[in-house]
């Protein structure tokens, strides 16, 4: 039996009492460690976090909590090599893809440490200006934001065990709210190791950071009215959480980041081989292959003017052909594995489903695996699908509805700008759309036109060709989340992230009292 990863709950390390679940190497197939959360006293653990962790965090001001985040990021920085080893073994990712998760998480922590420092020695936040309530100016209303006196239960997806933890935990801890993280079982090891390192470094007060690895059973039952849940994962699990009694009866606040059929759009008027065209091609191929397409923000639909369909198919296909797939430990390999055999099967099923409405422009099955056994490794080459004509794009409902969580995207031709925007909106709300073009006015108009249905619109024009941060990279300064099928959530966005962990209240009082706030 491999090592059993401990849970940290109630201020101490606790082993589960069940048989446990094995975590595997998705390339070599062997068991790495196992996790188990059976038999934990969840009620006591949640109470400890809420009472001890919460009180200790709230006793600090924003600047002091920001300093804790800075100290946490330095501990993680010092242990980076171990995290890379775990990511290679458990997620099957090449070094650059592990960096998106590990260094992305550390960067996000560092950003919140800086932002929090700027909030100074306060213990609550003012929200806007005081407003006069009547003719008489003496009596006014001042909105304040106070840290919620509960725990933040963070439930994460398998694809970002590091970043997924810290992009949620950093705003929560900065707000003064203790965190209990439940990583996805398949890749829980990296989350557990990071939490372990931070706990052992003794930076955070007892109860501020807990981790439960293994089944989610019973976690939601512990939630009390001032607790919050921040969830990232599938729409099906999101629906279970939304309908749980804690949410429906105790008004527990929930943030949902779910799946999303994101778009990239080349605006009309660009030439094949032109700068904007090339930027779209580069980004589409990159987004399909980074983390083997297992990114919630990855480009799933690529929209081009109908006249450029053939040229775009050829150019994106040419880049994909060069992608070497296989064992991430091999120097020549650029794209590693999917996370598990189950995900490999799901991706193959999704591909077959889409292929009934699309042609294959570049077939991932043509990629021979490097240093990996196809019977064992969860590796698959990138596949570009296409809908041949613009009229067909309207009828290809599966392309607009289906997120295949792997290296798969579909090229879709459009007739004119209005048609393109209508097709993008068929995604029913997405995390991100990227726009490519050289006409600043047309790009700005399209960005605003898509703002209501997208959490983020990433605009790439030739002058930012080298400096833009990438369609799929989630920057802590910008909002992450999307309306509709993307879950309706909001994370990050700089200090906006703190709203979720605070309660807003209107203090109505005389100006003398309000001046004391
Ligand atoms: P998932 O199966 O929904 O699992 C997500 C998390 O929920 C895991 O920690 C899982 O634990 C837990 N969970 C499962 N059943 C639960 C229940 N009844 N109550 C509470 N928690 C429960 O999703 P996934 O397969 O890990 O992730 C892939 C999906 O996430 C994709 O659709 C992707 O688009 C989406 N995603 C979205 C974002 C975003 O920011 N919007 C980011 C990344 C991924 P176990 O692992 O133990 O089952």
């Amino acid at each position: 039996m491999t090592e059993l990863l401990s849970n940290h709950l109630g201020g101490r390390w606790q082993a589960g009492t069940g048989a446990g679940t094995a975590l595997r190497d998705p390339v070599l197939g062997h068991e790495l460690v196992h996790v188990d959360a059976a038999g934990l006293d969840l009620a006591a653990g949640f109470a400890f976090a809420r009472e001890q962790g919460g009180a200790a965090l709230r006793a600090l001001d924003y600047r002091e909590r920001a300093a804790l985040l800075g100290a946490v990021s330095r501990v993680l920085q010092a242990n980076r090599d171990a995290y890379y080893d775990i990511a290679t073994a458990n997620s099957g990712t090449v070094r650059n893809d592990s960096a998106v998760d590990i260094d992305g998480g550390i960067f996000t922590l560092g950003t919140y440490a800086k932002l929090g420092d700027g909030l100074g020695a306060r213990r609550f936040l003012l929200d806007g200006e005081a407003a006069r309530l009547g003719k008489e100016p003496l009596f006014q209303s001042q909105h304040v934001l106070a840290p919620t006196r509960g725990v933040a239960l963070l439930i994460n997806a398998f694809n970002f065990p590091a970043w997924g933890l810290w992009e949620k935990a950093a705003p929560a801890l900065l707000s003064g709210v203790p965190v209990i993280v439940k990583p996805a079982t398949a890749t829980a090891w990296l989350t557990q190791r990071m939490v372990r390192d931070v706990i052992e470094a003794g930076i955070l007060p007892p109860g501020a950071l807990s981790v439960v690895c293994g089944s989610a059973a019973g976690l939601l039952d512990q939630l009390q009215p001032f607790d919050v849940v921040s969830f990232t994962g599938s729409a099906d699990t999101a629906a279970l959480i939304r309908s749980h009694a804690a949410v429906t009866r105790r008004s527990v606040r929930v943030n949902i980041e779910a799946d999303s059929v994101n778009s990239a759009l080349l605006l009309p008027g660009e030439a094949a081989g032109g700068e904007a065209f090339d930027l779209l091609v580069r980004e589409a191929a990159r987004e399909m292959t980074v983390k083997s397409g297992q990114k919630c923000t990855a480009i799933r639909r690529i929209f081009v003017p109908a006249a450029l369909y053939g040229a775009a198919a050829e150019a994106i296909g040419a880049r994909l052909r060069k992608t070497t797939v296989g064992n991430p430990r091999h120097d020549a390999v650029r794209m590693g594995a999917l996370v598990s055999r189950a995900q490999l099967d799901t991706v193959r099923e999704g591909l077959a489903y889409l292929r009934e409405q699309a042609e294959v422009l570049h077939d991932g099955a043509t990629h021979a695996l490097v240093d990996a056994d196809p019977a064992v490794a969860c590796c698959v080459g990138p596949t570009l699908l296409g809908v041949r004509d613009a009229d067909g794009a309207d009828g290809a409902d599966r392309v607009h509805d289906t997120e295949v969580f792997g290296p798969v995207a579909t090229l879709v031709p459009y007739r004119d700008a209005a048609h393109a925007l209508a097709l993008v909106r068929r995604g029913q709300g997405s995390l991100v759309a990227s726009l490519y073009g050289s006409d600043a006015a047309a790009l700005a108009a399209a960005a605003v036109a898509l703002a209501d249905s997208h959490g983020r619109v990433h605009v790439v024009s030739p002058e930012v060709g080298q400096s833009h941060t990438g369609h799929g990279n989630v920057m802590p300064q910008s909002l992450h989340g999307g309306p509709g099928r993307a879950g309706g959530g909001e994370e990050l966005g700089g200090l906006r992230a703190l709203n979720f962990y605070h309660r807003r209240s209107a203090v109505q009082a005389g100006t003398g009292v309000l001046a004391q706030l």
Side-chain angles (χ1 to χ4, degrees), residues 13 24 49 96 98 120 125 156 169 208 219 269 307-308 333 358 405 412 434 442 461 463 474 482 488 499 502 508:
W13 291 102
R24 295 191 172 277
N96 280 347
S98 303
L125 299 170
N156 277 329
L219 286 176
L308 299 184
V333 168
F405 209 57
V412 184
S434 53
S461 48
E463 70 273 19
V474 176
N499 284 334
H502 287 71
Q508 302 183 166

Side-chain angles (χ1 to χ4, degrees), residues 7 22 45 78 103 133 151 173 221 239 253 320 323 344 429 449 473 482 498:
N7 306 286
D103 294 329
L133 293 174
V151 295
L173 294 170
D221 299 329
R253 187 183 273 175
L320 296 178
T323 307
L344 182 63
N473 281 341
L498 273 57

Side-chain angles (χ1 to χ4, degrees), residues 315-364:
I316 299 168
R319 280 185 173 260
L320 296 178
R321 265 194 294 283
K322 291 189 206 144
T323 307
T324 41
V325 185
N327 189 340
R329 297 162 186 88
H330 196 287
D331 284 346
V333 168
R334 292 289 160 270
M335 190 171 98
L338 297 172
V339 75
S340 63
R341 282 314 275 195
Q343 278 301 310
L344 182 63
D345 292 344
T346 308
V347 166
R348 285 182 174 148
E349 279 164 24
L351 199 47
Y353 182 71
L354 289 181
R355 280 177 70 161
E356 288 174 23
Q357 292 188 345
E359 60 177 336
V360 177
L361 299 172
H362 173 79
D363 189 352

Side-chain angles (χ1 to χ4, degrees), residues 141-218:
S141 172
Q142 169 68 58
H143 287 82
V144 298
L145 292 164
T148 190
R149 286 176 184 252
V151 295
L153 174 61
L154 314 181
I155 303 177
N156 277 329
F158 65 78
N159 55 337
F160 280 105
W163 175 82
L165 162 62
W166 298 115
E167 61 105 15
K168 289 180 166 71
L173 294 170
L174 179 59
S175 299
V177 179
V179 159
I180 297 175
V181 61
K182 148 69 186 114
T185 297
T187 57
W189 192 10
L190 181 51
T191 305
Q192 196 269 1
R193 174 63 68 87
M194 288 181 145
V195 171
R196 196 184 90 182
D197 290 343
V198 171
I199 298 289
E200 283 179 0
I203 297 165
L204 296 172
L209 180 61
S210 307
V211 61
V212 175
C213 303
S215 162

